[in-house]
Amino acid sequence: MKRILMLVSLGALLYQTGCTSKHEEEKEEAVNYSVTSPLQKDTTIIKEYVSQIRAISHIELRALERGYLQKIYVDEGQFVKKGQLMFQIMPLVYQAEQQKAQAEANFAEIEYKNTKALADSNVVSKNELALAKAKLDKAKAELGLAATHLGFTEIRAPFNGIMDHFQVRLGSLVDEGDLLTTLSDNSEMWVYFNVPEAEYLNYKSGEDNGNLLKVKLKMANEKIFDHTGAVKTIEADFNNETGNIAFRATFPNPKGLLRHGETGNVQISVPLKDALLIPQKATFEVLEKKYCYVIDKDGKVQSREITIAAELPHIFAVSHGLQKDDKILLEGLRQVRENQKISYKFQKPDSVISHLSLYAE
């Protein structure tokens, strides 16, 4: 009797399980999932490169003579013009040297004139006249040298630019070669960025009649700089450690917004021909690899690894793993499993892509 009861209970349990499984399958098939296909079209992507911003001229101003810093005519951060007096090193010693040299030059000139008068009257020989002329020339050379040293006590701006902070203070004793400040010409800026070898080759092979590559600059505040730059220089050698080569773009800087030492990101527009575009929300990641669910001819879900060529807002450009006629699961990626048969509603790719900015999972 107990055996009969156990058989009846087991049968009831199997019947209930079968009904539940069948009910779940019917429920799964009753859900209509959204499905679409990759959109194939020409597009443009933006590639960004970390960059360093440099002034076209950035120099150190150093003392040319030893002495006390007597006067400072400018201020830190000030714009100075070419030839403007910036620093004065105490010139008293050099003024005295110049006065001494001037006196010796005057004496040598008088001596030469007297000797010449005597030579013209055949009182002295021509050799004495030549000696007097040599003394005069030497005195003039020493006067010029003294004037040069005196001029070294005045530090003037070699070009228009912006001053950095002072390295010395008024009254400081400076030696020859001591750093006073730095000066930057920010009228144009050089922006350096590193490009991988493959992208360098693509750029060089795509050059059109020598036209310069146009680039944009995204500043540290995430805003795009008002002016467009041009890549005018590429360094000669690749860095063997990184596999990169340095590009230099030149940007006009009429308002002086950019300063030497800033950082930013250079943006280059790269065209993609016949790119396959899919929504980012139609993908998932496993161990740093990208996948999407492809619906086969029987309506079953199959995961497939894909390779991302570029990333756009809400969109991936796929280089490998998909064909333009493949059907991919658009929503409900966490609700399905491998080889599950589903019911779906197909949405046109162009309609899906155009609405991505309104909703992204």
Side-chain angles (χ1 to χ4, degrees):
M1 183 68 180
K2 291 182 178 180
R3 185 176 181 182
I4 294 174
L5 289 175
M6 289 177 64
L7 292 172
V8 171
S9 299
L10 181 60
L13 181 60
L14 292 173
Y15 175 76
Q16 183 178 2
T17 302
C19 291
T20 302
S21 178
K22 183 177 180 181
H23 176 71
E24 289 179 353
E25 291 179 357
E26 291 176 352
K27 183 178 179 181
E28 288 175 352
E29 292 181 359
V31 176
N32 275 332
Y33 291 92
S34 296
V35 170
T36 189
S37 292
L39 177 63
Q40 187 174 42
K41 64 176 297 185
D42 295 342
T43 189
T44 300
I45 63 171
I46 303 296
K47 289 193 174 182
E48 289 194 357
Y49 304 88
V50 177
S51 61
Q52 297 289 331
I53 302 173
R54 298 286 183 264
I56 58 171
S57 292
H58 179 78
I59 65 168
E60 297 176 338
L61 294 179
R62 296 182 177 272
L64 297 175
E65 293 291 349
R66 188 176 188 273
Y68 287 97
L69 188 60
Q70 184 175 355
K71 291 183 179 180
I72 299 177
Y73 296 93
V74 290
D75 199 1
E76 296 176 332
Q78 178 181 337
F79 177 82
V80 295
K81 295 183 178 181
K82 181 179 179 179
Q84 182 176 341
L85 182 60
M86 302 172 68
F87 300 96
Q88 175 77 64
I89 297 174
M90 186 175 287
L92 296 181
V93 173
Y94 302 103
Q95 287 176 347
E97 288 183 354
Q98 185 184 30
Q99 290 172 358
K100 178 183 177 183
Q102 182 67 62
E104 291 178 350
N106 292 340
F107 176 78
E109 186 174 6
I110 293 172
E111 187 176 23
Y112 169 74
K113 288 181 179 179
N114 290 336
T115 305
K116 188 176 185 306
L118 294 174
D120 291 341
S121 301
N122 294 320
V123 175
V124 298
S125 67
K126 292 183 178 179
N127 289 338
E128 289 188 28
L129 178 61
L131 182 60
K133 180 67 167 61
K135 288 182 179 179
L136 175 61
D137 292 341
K138 180 182 178 182
K140 288 182 177 179
E142 289 178 350
L143 175 61
L145 181 62
T148 300
H149 282 291
L150 180 60
F152 285 166
T153 63
E154 295 182 346
I155 310 300
R156 298 181 179 271
F159 51 77
N160 296 343
I162 298 176
M163 284 187 51
D164 197 5
H165 62 277
F166 297 141
Q167 299 291 335
V168 293
R169 293 295 183 265
L170 190 66
S172 300
L173 176 63
V174 294
D175 281 322
E176 181 181 348
D178 281 356
L179 178 63
L180 303 178
T181 187
T182 57
L183 185 66
S184 298
D185 180 1
N186 294 342
S187 58
E188 288 186 328
M189 306 301 290
W190 284 344
V191 180
Y192 293 87
F193 59 100
N194 294 322
V195 175
E197 183 175 355
E199 295 178 18
Y200 159 80
L201 293 173
N202 290 337
Y203 161 68
K204 293 299 289 184
S205 61
E207 279 186 325
D208 182 20
N209 297 325
N211 291 334
L212 298 177
L213 177 64
K214 302 297 183 180
V215 297
K216 293 184 177 296
L217 177 64
K218 184 168 74 173
M219 299 178 291
N221 61 357
E222 300 296 319
K223 294 183 178 180
I224 302 299
F225 185 55
D226 290 340
H227 301 276
T228 300
V231 175
K232 295 183 178 180
T233 301
I234 302 175
E235 287 192 358
D237 300 326
F238 277 89
N239 186 319
N240 292 331
E241 295 181 358
T242 63
N244 295 335
I245 192 169
F247 281 41
R248 191 189 77 195
T250 302
F251 283 81
N253 190 33
K255 296 181 180 179
L257 178 62
L258 301 180
R259 296 292 182 98
H260 180 86
E262 282 188 76
T263 60
N265 289 330
V266 168
Q267 294 185 338
I268 299 179
S269 298
V270 179
L272 289 181
K273 186 174 179 60
D274 294 332
L276 291 179
L277 307 180
I278 65 171
Q280 290 189 17
K281 66 178 182 177
T283 67
F284 60 96
E285 188 171 312
V286 178
L287 298 177
E288 299 183 352
K289 294 183 178 180
K290 292 288 185 183
Y291 293 85
C292 67
Y293 282 122
V294 179
I295 316 303
D296 64 14
K297 61 181 180 180
D298 298 323
K300 293 183 178 180
V301 175
Q302 304 284 341
S303 62
R304 186 180 297 177
E305 183 182 350
I306 58 176
T307 302
I308 305 301
E311 182 176 348
L312 294 82
H314 309 308
I315 296 172
F316 284 136
V318 179
S319 59
H320 296 93
L322 289 177
Q323 303 294 328
K324 65 177 182 178
D325 295 327
D326 287 335
K327 294 182 175 63
I328 59 174
L329 186 63
L330 184 60
E331 297 174 356
L333 276 67
R334 298 183 180 88
Q335 301 172 9
V336 299
R337 61 181 183 274
E338 191 78 10
N339 292 319
Q340 176 182 338
K341 187 173 182 179
I342 62 171
S343 297
Y344 59 84
K345 180 180 180 182
F346 183 80
Q347 297 186 32
K348 293 183 178 180
D350 52 354
S351 176
V352 171
I353 296 297
S354 64
H355 289 83
L356 283 179
S357 60
L358 301 178
Y359 169 73
E361 188 178 63

